[in-house]
Amino acid sequence: MASIKRISSILLAGCALSTLAACGADDVASPGDGSIIVPPTNPTNPTNPTNPTNPTNPTPGTPDASCPQGTTDAGVISNRRNCELSGVISASLQLPYSAGTLYSLKGRVDVGVDMGGDGLAAGGKQATLTVDPGVVVFASSGNDFLVVNRGSKINAEGTAAKPIIFTARANVVGTATDDSQGLWGGIVLLGRAPISDCNTAVAGGSVGCQQQIEGTTNAMYGGATPADSSGTLRYVQIRYSGFEIAPGNELQGLTTGGVGSGTKLEYIQVHNSSDDGVEFFGGRNNVKYLIVTGADDDSIDTDLGYKGYMQFVIAVQRAGGNSGDAIIEADTSGNNDALPRQNTKMANFTFVHRQTAASTGSNAVLMRGGTDYTLMNGVITTPRFCLDMDDAQTTQAANGALDEQGPPVFQSVVMQCGGGAFRTDGNEADVAAAFNAGTNNNSAFTASLVNVFVNGAAETGVTAFDASTINAFFTRTTYIGAVKDANDTWYRGWTCDSATANFGSSAACTALPTA
């Protein structure tokens, strides 16, 4: 959602996108099955039939002679062949890995044509975009972004050794810095799972309840298929994204709208988004192993009836005092009791909130608009307030008729809060009561984190909550936080390092792999 400290962003000449977005409670505007191709077993792809004229990989630094079928040769950039994607991908397309090839997005690139909430929309087309391990896809401007439409899929499944990287042209030519952000649009996944805010007078969560995704025109999401699949993002980096089309109408690093639980989102790093790191509008998608570094607005933003699970989450803001807004911003919708109501459950997280500019009103965790939320096994550090809950509906009693679970739930959450544990805005007692109702919580904690996000002795001494009792999605742990200790290295190898956080991956976010 739009940061209230942001005044504007640079608009590209000729931008024709409209400013259409739905609004969360008390917020600036913020809305808005093809066949699966199995990636080849050999990521170097020596016999890839989609590229018969270039059967072998060149020496690193030498551009390929041609581009794979379905892409356009756009010349050479940084000693690699630039193979361009544009318009609508209307059938299955594979992007094979080669050390001599990069792929680029020209304008808005659509995977498929919207199939509608019922999968039967006239003119709809199913398509699948498969991205092989090690592939780099870049974009040159804020109007360049990728949209996976309802009924279509992306299968971008990298490996720990060969993550898939979506980034900006500046990163390719070597001019990106640790402060670069907002250099291109981002990735948008759209699905047919339930949402709460409909663009017509129909019931929330129904097959006809749909909405236009933020930052676009005619890109719709929503339906009545909770287990819908938009494909897979696994071992993926998304760098320098989050362009603001107009004030209050932005693309994030990863935006999902009505994405279903059949979608697999694992091992994802979003780095230096100029807006939110990830924003989930409704839907049922779950996430494991998520890292957000350097987001200039919220790290994790959820709205419009999103119901999902997240585990093993690291969020670290850039240093400097005026970078980043909240780590979590959670709403239901413009109507605080709209159905379905948001209900997010998160376990094993470490939040390093560094915002110090009091004028922004930014605190580490903001819950409002009647949202339901459960936080388990977490560590929060901030120079400001840790918890801020707005609106009476956010802490109202459980009510099945309103799809209301009761006040937010906290289990084994510890907080080091420079400005105070609970923001004083008239409901501090309710916020404190919700936090203190859980077990093993500590709002006056002194953190001992090592290397920014790794548990130290103080975190190790906290009794963990068994999150697997909430849902089988959660892995049972004996520790709080996202990273148990120095021997726990799930974040290493597939990530990139920056001044914000060093993951020991020996790969700078300002550089790209050469092989």
Side-chain angles (χ1 to χ4, degrees):
M1 297 184 185
S3 170
I4 59 178
K5 69 182 174 63
R6 180 184 293 114
I7 298 175
S8 65
S9 182
I10 298 173
L11 296 177
L12 295 182
C15 175
L17 297 180
S18 347
T19 308
L20 293 174
C23 300
D26 305 325
D27 201 8
V28 183
S30 181
D33 301 310
S35 58
I36 299 176
I37 298 177
V38 178
T41 55
N42 180 4
T44 59
N45 221 13
T47 58
N48 179 14
T50 65
N51 193 10
T53 61
N54 183 30
T56 58
N57 284 325
T59 302
T62 302
D64 281 350
S66 62
C67 289
Q69 181 179 346
T71 66
T72 301
D73 190 341
V76 174
I77 182 170
S78 296
N79 294 320
R80 304 191 207 187
R81 182 66 54 189
N82 177 9
C83 299
E84 189 176 85
L85 289 79
S86 62
V88 178
I89 298 170
S90 57
S92 295
L93 175 65
Q94 182 176 358
L95 304 183
Y97 169 77
S98 172
T101 290
L102 299 171
Y103 299 91
S104 62
L105 303 175
K106 181 180 180 181
R108 169 176 160 178
V109 177
D110 285 90
V111 180
V113 178
D114 182 30
M115 297 290 293
D118 57 3
L120 301 173
K125 292 182 180 179
Q126 295 178 331
T128 297
L129 175 64
T130 297
V131 186
D132 284 1
V135 162
V136 174
V137 181
F138 75 90
S140 299
S141 76
N143 289 330
D144 300 334
F145 57 101
L146 181 67
V147 177
V148 180
N149 287 292
R150 286 185 293 188
S152 293
K153 295 180 180 180
I154 182 172
N155 287 322
E157 190 156 3
T159 66
K162 283 188 172 292
I164 295 165
I165 300 173
F166 293 88
T167 191
R169 174 181 285 268
N171 204 183
V172 174
V173 300
T175 59
T177 71
D178 276 339
D179 292 322
S180 296
Q181 57 178 343
L183 302 181
W184 65 290
I187 298 175
V188 179
L189 305 184
L190 305 175
R192 299 174 289 197
I195 66 172
S196 66
D197 192 15
C198 320
N199 64 354
T200 57
V202 297
S206 66
V207 70
C209 181
Q210 62 179 4
Q211 186 55 261
Q212 178 175 289
I213 199 69
E214 179 174 271
T216 70
T217 58
N218 72 318
M220 309 302 292
Y221 65 97
T225 309
D228 190 40
S229 174
S230 297
T232 298
L233 292 178
R234 194 165 188 267
Y235 291 112
V236 167
Q237 297 176 23
I238 304 171
R239 304 180 183 178
Y240 308 116
S241 56
F243 188 77
E244 186 175 31
I245 301 301
N249 192 28
E250 319 85 6
L251 293 166
Q252 341 305 322
L254 172 62
T255 306
T256 71
V259 168
S261 61
T263 307
K264 179 174 284 189
L265 302 175
E266 292 183 345
Y267 298 99
I268 296 172
Q269 180 185 13
V270 180
H271 178 65
N272 277 24
S273 168
S274 66
D275 197 63
D276 300 328
V278 299
E279 185 159 13
F280 301 151
F281 296 106
R284 300 290 187 272
N285 58 272
N286 305 314
V287 190
K288 254 182 182 170
Y289 305 108
L290 171 66
I291 296 175
V292 180
T293 47
D296 208 42
D297 196 1
D298 308 310
S299 297
I300 300 164
D301 199 336
T302 50
D303 200 353
L304 272 68
Y306 169 72
K307 295 180 185 289
Y309 307 115
M310 305 182 208
Q311 189 174 23
F312 306 116
V313 180
I314 298 171
V316 184
Q317 292 181 328
R318 293 200 307 279
N322 198 29
S323 296
D325 201 7
I327 298 289
I328 287 178
E329 181 175 1
D331 295 81
T332 292
S333 72
N335 175 353
N336 289 351
D337 282 325
L339 303 180
R341 184 184 301 276
Q342 179 183 171
N343 192 344
T344 302
K345 300 182 190 299
M346 182 186 297
N348 294 94
F349 59 90
T350 301
F351 294 161
V352 180
H353 183 259
R354 291 168 166 165
Q355 174 64 258
T356 60
S359 61
T360 67
S362 167
N363 299 299
V365 175
L366 172 61
M367 299 176 184
R368 57 186 176 185
T371 185
D372 286 340
Y373 222 100
T374 299
L375 289 174
M376 303 168 283
N377 297 335
V379 181
I380 300 172
T381 68
T382 176
R384 294 182 51 76
F385 290 102
C386 282
L387 293 181
D388 182 6
M389 296 184 199
D390 294 342
D391 308 313
Q393 289 91 340
T394 305
T395 54
Q396 67 190 346
N399 185 333
L402 294 177
D403 190 24
E404 168 64 68
Q405 79 158 12
V409 175
F410 303 86
Q411 304 285 2
S412 297
V413 175
V414 299
M415 307 189 302
Q416 178 176 303
C417 318
F422 314 115
R423 183 183 176 195
T424 305
D425 57 359
N427 66 338
E428 182 181 8
D430 291 339
V431 179
F435 184 81
N436 292 326
T439 58
N440 300 310
N441 297 324
N442 186 346
S443 60
F445 187 73
T446 300
S448 63
L449 295 170
V450 179
N451 191 32
V452 179
F453 54 85
V454 178
N455 283 353
E459 291 76 23
T460 300
V462 179
T463 300
F465 177 79
D466 183 1
S468 68
T469 61
I470 301 298
N471 188 274
F473 169 84
F474 293 110
T475 301
R476 180 177 182 176
T477 68
T478 58
Y479 58 91
I480 67 168
V483 181
K484 179 180 181 180
D485 54 30
N487 296 314
D488 181 7
T489 57
W490 63 262
Y491 53 83
R492 185 169 297 165
W494 59 274
T495 50
C496 66
D497 298 331
S498 66
T500 300
N502 187 327
F503 298 104
S505 297
S506 300
C509 296
T510 53
L512 291 177
T514 58

